[in-house]
Amino acid sequence: MSTSNHTSDHAADAAAESAAARETTEGTVYTVTGGDWDEIVASAAKADDERIVVNMGPQHPSTHGVLRLILEIEGETVTEARCGIGYLHTGIEKNLEFRNWTQGTTFVTRMDYLTPFFNEAAYCLGVEKLLGITDQVPDRASVIRVLLMELNRISSHLVCIATGGMELGATTIMIYGFRDRELILDVFELITGLRMNHAFIRPGGLAQDLPPGAVDQLRDFVRTFKKNLPEYDKLATGNPIFKARMQDVGYLDLAGCMALGATGPILRSAGLPHDLRKSDPYCGYETYEFDVPTADSCDSYGRFLIRLEEMRQSLRIVEQCLDRLEPGPVMVADKKIAWPAQLALGPDGLGNSLDHIKNIMGTSMEALIHHFKLVTEGFRVPAGQVYTAVESPKGELGVHVVSDGGTRPYRVHFRDPSFTNLQAMAAMCEGGQVADVIVAVASIDPVMGGVDR
């Protein structure tokens, strides 16, 4: 257990009370329990210096979700910083054990609610690997997956830049960011029927094909966003006030990133061009042309510039996706796995296409029974375990999927980048000013739905 240099004898005594020692053949072993809020306050009160313990959150508007920061400050300087998480715990990973494999997508899409398509893709890639059908997923389905993920990357970065700007007082950036994100959400709504929590990517392919007019709307968006992107440069990139507020704030070098497991823009701001789309491609990313932007500033400003450049690169990939969209199926051919993907939006608004229902019910009684069993009970996945990862806007989003051979997952655990990156908060903030904590947390861009799961 580490204590700051300025910790008084009283504080050390209080800390020692929570650490029980016992002698073993290997030497002295200390069992340390986490100090509670009352203990921290009590030890700070006993100290004879000017330390104050401040509770920032859990409803602070400048924290991305319900995050609690426990700051120990001396004047305006943060001497110790800790995260309090768990306020948005939803039990999603446990819930997955009580639903069939396809129903799982409706849960995972709700974790990091700003990047639903990445959650769905990581989970489905894991299930497909266990099923051994990775190579059977139709090309059109993979292209649409990439298209949706890259649009989602842009929308996530827009929220990061918009909310980060708002927290710094740059309200114009916030207005521009949410204006452009709205264009992407309109596209998502046209394609999936929902603005978020889509459950559109499913094991074996997609819920349905692109609706009429989707490609035209996507090309309109690309044109509009290409025109709007330079505005962020004009507003912020060269703005001396914006730069002064972000440069050398939230500093974390490459050694710190590696030690803490930080990935995404935080790692790339330290100069390492690590991107799973290049180093461990999935969904055919090796066939797309794009660059991995890096910076060597290791600070919040570098992360801002990287996100801005990543949006430009994502736009390049979206254009390539639109150019290679060939007609074809969007679900695997194996009818023992393929959930119906031919549904069209019916008059009831629920996707009950009468033609599709007539086809199922009119083909044969066996087909109807099989369809009923597939949808109610689900398909079986061979026993085994697998880890798959995708490059989400925040870093490496990994999923460990375990099957016992049944129709439901035995265990699903996500390695969410927000959770891992949030560990860097103390390293970025300690020794800095209280006001800089907000800048550092904004540059990490954590989403608490992904942290608490």
Side-chain angles (χ1 to χ4, degrees):
M1 187 175 75
S2 66
T3 54
S4 303
N5 295 331
H6 59 262
T7 306
S8 66
D9 294 336
H10 295 298
D13 292 341
E17 288 170 10
S18 63
R22 60 191 172 89
E23 298 298 327
T24 69
T25 53
E26 301 292 324
T28 309
V29 173
Y30 295 94
T31 306
V32 183
T33 56
D36 200 5
W37 174 249
D38 296 332
E39 291 177 36
I40 297 167
V41 174
S43 63
K46 288 179 188 172
D48 53 3
D49 53 20
E50 294 296 314
R51 289 185 302 143
I52 303 170
V53 180
V54 177
N55 209 3
M56 187 186 280
Q59 294 291 2
H60 197 281
S62 288
T63 56
H64 296 222
V66 195
L67 171 64
R68 175 190 181 200
L69 300 176
I70 302 160
L71 306 177
E72 197 175 281
I73 59 174
E74 199 165 348
E76 282 285 310
T77 305
V78 177
T79 54
E80 197 171 337
R82 287 176 20 175
C83 291
I85 64 174
Y87 294 92
L88 206 54
H89 183 51
T90 47
I92 283 173
E93 289 180 355
K94 192 67 183 171
N95 271 308
L96 289 171
E97 297 169 22
F98 297 90
R99 297 292 188 279
N100 68 42
W101 292 95
T102 303
Q103 286 172 327
T105 55
T106 59
F107 281 100
V108 298
T109 190
R110 289 167 162 77
M111 293 188 320
D112 181 341
Y113 36 81
L114 293 182
T115 62
F117 286 117
F118 292 91
N119 303 332
E120 296 171 24
Y123 170 77
C124 291
L125 287 170
V127 177
E128 286 160 8
K129 209 182 235 183
L130 280 173
L131 285 165
I133 60 167
T134 304
D135 296 333
Q136 297 171 33
V137 175
D139 289 341
R140 184 175 175 86
S142 291
V143 171
I144 294 172
R145 285 179 177 184
V146 171
L147 173 76
L148 293 172
M149 281 192 280
E150 293 308 318
L151 286 169
N152 205 173
R153 191 183 309 278
I154 297 171
S155 71
S156 177
H157 284 342
L158 283 170
V159 172
C160 174
I161 290 170
T163 55
M166 180 178 63
E167 287 154 13
L168 301 182
T171 50
T172 310
I173 294 176
M174 185 266 290
I175 292 165
Y176 280 26
F178 280 105
R179 174 201 66 186
D180 290 338
R181 177 176 178 252
E182 204 65 24
L183 301 174
I184 297 176
L185 295 185
D186 286 344
V187 172
F188 288 168
E189 191 172 4
L190 173 69
I191 294 171
T192 74
L194 295 163
R195 289 160 57 89
M196 56 198 297
N197 303 337
H198 311 277
F200 187 73
I201 298 173
R202 295 191 179 160
L206 304 171
Q208 60 187 49
D209 204 348
L210 295 177
V215 173
D216 293 336
Q217 188 163 331
L218 280 161
R219 291 203 183 276
D220 286 344
F221 162 75
V222 169
R223 278 193 294 273
T224 305
F225 194 57
K226 267 188 174 175
K227 190 164 86 321
N228 291 353
L229 247 178
E231 293 176 351
Y232 296 90
D233 276 321
K234 290 177 188 170
L235 270 174
T237 305
N239 186 328
I241 301 171
F242 190 83
K243 284 172 75 173
R245 192 72 185 84
M246 297 188 81
Q247 282 180 327
D248 299 324
V249 175
Y251 185 89
L252 188 70
D253 61 14
L254 184 56
C257 289
M258 300 301 280
L260 292 165
T263 51
I266 299 175
L267 181 60
R268 292 191 281 275
S269 74
L272 186 70
H274 175 68
D275 189 313
L276 289 169
R277 294 174 294 173
K278 292 283 192 186
S279 60
D280 189 11
Y282 51 92
C283 292
Y285 265 110
E286 65 276 13
T287 63
Y288 293 88
E289 286 183 23
F290 65 98
D291 301 317
V292 179
T294 58
D296 55 7
S297 58
C298 307
D299 61 7
S300 299
Y301 184 65
R303 287 164 213 142
F304 163 76
L305 294 179
I306 283 171
R307 289 187 174 101
L308 214 51
E309 182 56 33
E310 280 187 8
M311 289 198 285
R312 294 189 188 99
Q313 298 302 326
S314 290
L315 214 52
R316 280 179 68 189
I317 299 173
V318 167
E319 287 185 292
Q320 292 171 61
C321 288
L322 290 171
D323 291 340
R324 62 171 74 175
L325 271 176
E326 298 288 340
V330 293
M331 183 56 82
V332 290
D334 187 348
K335 293 300 179 190
K336 294 203 178 293
I337 294 168
W339 259 48
Q342 308 93 325
L343 300 182
L345 200 63
D348 57 359
L350 296 174
N352 292 331
S353 160
L354 284 175
D355 292 338
H356 184 55
I357 293 167
K358 280 175 190 170
N359 184 41
I360 293 171
M361 296 189 75
T363 307
S364 71
M365 179 55 77
E366 287 78 10
L368 181 60
I369 293 169
H370 184 72
H371 175 79
F372 179 77
K373 277 181 69 67
L374 179 68
V375 173
T376 54
E377 184 184 303
F379 49 79
R380 293 189 178 276
V381 172
Q385 59 181 326
V386 71
Y387 176 81
T388 51
V390 300
E391 185 69 33
S392 96
K394 297 164 181 67
E396 180 177 335
L397 172 66
V399 56
H400 179 210
V401 186
V402 185
S403 171
D404 60 0
T407 58
R408 301 184 305 195
Y410 176 76
R411 179 80 172 95
V412 179
H413 175 65
F414 277 83
R415 178 225 187 264
D416 195 279
S418 290
F419 178 79
T420 315
N421 293 347
L422 205 52
Q423 292 180 116
M425 195 275 297
M428 289 181 182
C429 298
E430 289 176 2
Q433 302 289 294
V434 177
D436 292 342
V437 172
I438 291 164
V439 181
V441 172
S443 77
I444 295 172
D445 187 29
V447 169
M448 302 315 291
V451 173
D452 296 334
R453 292 189 297 290

